[in-house]
Amino acid sequence: MIEVKNLTKRYGDKKAVNDISFKVEKGEILGFLGPNGAGKSTTMNMLTGYISSTSGQILINGVDILEDPKKAKSYIGYLPEIPPLYMDMTVDAYLGFMFDLKKCKLPRKAHLNDVCNLCKIGDVRGRIIKNLSKGYKQRVGLAQALINNPPVLILDEPTVGLDPNQIIEIRTLIKKLGKRHTVILSSHILPEIQAVCDKIIIINKGVVAADGTADEIAKSITNEHKMTLRIEGNTHTAADKNEITEALKSISGIKYVRADMEREKGIYDYDVEAEEKVDVRRAVNKLCQEKGWNILMMQLSDLTLEDIFLKITMGESIGESKESENKPRPRINLVLDGENTAAAAEPEEAVSDEEASEAESADVTENNDGGEQ
Amino acid sequence: MGAIYRREMGSFFTSGLAYVFLAVFYLISGFFFYNNVIAAGSTNTAPVFSSMFIIVLFLIPILTMRLLSEEKKSRTDQGLLTAPIGLWEIVLGKYLAAMTLFVIAESIIFVYAVILNYLGDVVWVTLLGNYFAMLFLGAAFIAIGLFVSSLTENQMTAAVASMVALFFLYLFDGLITRISNETLYKILAELSFYSRYMEFTQGIFSVPSMLFFLSTAFLFNFFTVRVLEKKRWG
C-alpha cells in the first residue's frame, strides 16, 4: 500500500531524513516513534506530498507521489501535527469545504454525518472552530482526514492535547480504522504505539534505528536478562537488605543487583541483571534455600518499548554508531518499572478482537458508494 | 478551485473585510462622482476613474493581504497542499474571489450612471471603456498583491509591501523621465501602468494596454504558483 525507498530530505547541509525505506501493507497500522526533531513530521510531510523529497521514491497504492501527485494525494487522509483548521468557520462549513476540496463523490450529507459520528463531533457541528476545546479541534482535524474514505490515513501525533478518556477513544477509533485503512501514525507516547500499532519504526536523527514488531525489535536489540525478586529475609530489617544484596551479587553470572523499595513490611525487592544467556534462577533459588530465605516473587522482565526507545535514542547521542545490531552500547540502567507498561498494553490488545465486529460501523460510508451517481 | 473560491468569498464577508473594502470604495468613489461630475455639471465620468487609480492602489492590498499569508501562518496550507488539487486551482480560486469582490465594488459605477441618466446624457461608450480599464487594472494589481501575500506569513507585511510595490508603479512615470538614454526610456515607458490606464480614461480603448494588464495578471499568478511550488522543494 505504501512503499518508501531510500527517502532523503536535505535542508542545506543538514539531512533531516536520511535514506529511510519501509513498506506498509494494506490494513496495517504502522507506528513512527522518535524523539522530537527525529524527522517524523518531515517524513510524514513527504508522504503526503506537502514537501518533496531530495531523493528517493514514495509509492502510495502504486502511484508515485511526485509523478502523479493528485492521484496519490486522493488516496491519503492527513492529519498534520497542527490540524489545518480555519478558525473562523463552523465545523459544518469547514467539513463541507474539505468535502469539496477533496472532490468527494460520496453522498454529501450521509458521508459527513458518518464522519462526524465516528469522531464524536456531532454536538459541535454548528459551532465556530475557534471556540472549540483542543480535544474537539483535534477530532475535527481527524474528521477532515477521514473525508472521502481514503485508503491511507496518516496521522501526526493524533492524541496530543486530549484528555485520557479521549485518548482511549481515539486509540480505539484508530484500531477500528486500521481494519479497513492503512494507517501510519506518529507519536512519542510509547504505550500508545505499543497498544495500537502492528509494526513500529523507530526513527532517530533522520535514520531508521529499528524496525519491526515490538517483540522483534526487543530481540534484535538485546539478550540480557533482567528480573525482579522479592525475598523475605530472616530478621525483617534493613540488615536483611544488605545481606541479601551481597549474597545475590556473589552468585556467578549475576552482574548487577540493586535493592529496591520495601514493598511489604521488612521485605524488599531486588532488581537483578544477569549476564547474557545465563539463567540464574536456579542458583538464586538454591541460595535462598541454603540461607532459609523465602522467595515471594520472581519476575523476568523483558525489555519494553520504553527501554528500547531509550537505549536507541540515548545510545546514539553518546556517539555510538547508528546500527543496532552486534555493536556494544553504553550501559543504561533503567529504573523504569518496565513490566507495568507492557502489562497495560495487553488488555487493549485483547479488546481489539471484539472490536472486529464493530469495524463494520467504522466504514459505513464505503457502503454508500455510488448512491448518488 | 470552486471550494477555495467559495471559502474565500465566505471568509471575506465573515471577517468583515468585504464590508470595509466596499464601504471605503463606495465612499471615495461617491465623493469623486459628486465632486468631479455632479457638482461640476458634467456627464463625463472619466475624472472619477482617473482619480480612483490611487485609491485602488491602496485598497487592493487590503483585499489580497491575507489570502496566502494567513494560510501559511495558521498552517492551513497543509490541508490545501495535501488535497488532491493542483497549485493553479489554489491560486486561481483565491485570485477569482478577490476579483469578484473588486468587480462588486467597481460595479457601483452603474448606479452612478443611472443617477447621471436623470441629469443628462451618459456617454456609455466612455463609461464602459473606463469600466473595463479599471477591471484590467484591478486584475493586474490583485495578481501582484496575491504574489506578495505568498511571500510572507504576516498579513500586515503583505499589505504594506504590496502598497509600496503598487505605489512604485504609480511613481514609475515620474522616475523614468530622468533617464537620458532614449531607447531605455522608450522601453520603460511601455511598462508604465499609470499612462496605460490614463489612456483609457481619455476614451481610447487600447487593445495592447488591455493585453499588457492581462499578461501582468497571468505572469504574477504564475509567479505565485512558483512560490508555492518552490516551498515544497525548500
Side-chain angles (χ1 to χ4, degrees), chain A residues 9 11 45 48-53 66 70 73-74 78 80 82 84-86 88-89 97 100-103, chain B residues 3-4 6-7 11 14-15 71 74-86 89 231-234:
Chain A
K9 179 72 185 178
Y11 288 109
N45 280 337
T48 53
Y50 178 59
I51 55 173
S52 57
S53 53
L66 289 181
K70 273 194 209 179
K73 284 173 186 175
S74 71
Y78 182 34
I82 299 164
L85 305 174
Y86 293 98
D88 57 347
M89 291 175 103
F97 163 68
D100 293 339
L101 193 69
K102 292 188 178 188
K103 298 176 179 142
Chain B
I4 292 173
R6 283 192 296 277
R7 203 205 75 77
S11 171
T14 50
S15 68
E71 298 270 2
S74 61
R75 301 280 207 106
T76 43
D77 60 336
Q78 270 188 318
L80 295 184
L81 294 172
T82 58
I85 52 165
E89 290 181 71
K231 222 179 327 170
R232 297 174 53 208
W233 294 92

Side-chain angles (χ1 to χ4, degrees), chain A residues 280-293:
Chain A
V280 295
R281 287 175 297 178
R282 287 170 192 86
V284 170
N285 211 354
K286 214 171 142 198
L287 173 83
C288 293
Q289 263 176 5
E290 280 167 11
K291 301 269 185 182
W293 300 331

